[in-house]
């Protein structure tokens, strides 16, 4: 059951990344590119978690999440800095 949920989360993250990538292709705004990369990293992280280890308590998975969420924070900060 856990593997099925991890797969569903991975697919949802992959689709969300494709959604943001499509907006990046039409607008060339790096905000959308950073969001797409973040979701794709999270999808890869979920697949690796399920296939390679099976335990979420390995520190490497938290480091990958920090990178993914850091990309979102950088995208938001960069977008707001351009306005001022």
């Amino acid at each position: 059951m856990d593997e099925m949920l991890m797969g569903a989360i991975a697919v949802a993250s992959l689709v969300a990344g494709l959604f943001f990538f499509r907006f990046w292709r039409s607008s060339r705004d790096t905000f959308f590119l950073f969001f797409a990369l973040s979701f794709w990293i999270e999808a890869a992280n979920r697949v690796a978690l399920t296939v390679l280890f099976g335990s979420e308590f390995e520190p490497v998975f938290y480091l990958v999440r920090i990178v993914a969420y850091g990309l979102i924070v950088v995208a938001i900060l960069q977008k707001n800095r351009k306005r001022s």
Side-chain angles (χ1 to χ4, degrees), residues 9-27 29 31-44:
I9 292 171
V11 169
S13 296
L14 189 65
V15 169
L18 288 173
F19 180 77
F20 284 111
F21 186 72
R22 187 182 77 177
F23 283 112
W24 175 76
R25 286 186 64 187
S26 64
S27 70
D29 189 353
F31 177 81
F32 296 118
L33 182 61
F34 283 161
F35 266 70
L37 289 174
S38 175
F39 279 103
W40 288 338
I41 289 171
E42 184 62 26

Side-chain angles (χ1 to χ4, degrees), residues 44-63:
N45 190 31
R46 296 293 175 169
V47 169
L49 176 64
T50 304
V51 173
L52 299 178
F53 292 99
S55 173
E56 197 172 1
F57 300 110
E58 297 290 330
V60 68
F61 294 112
Y62 292 104
L63 291 175

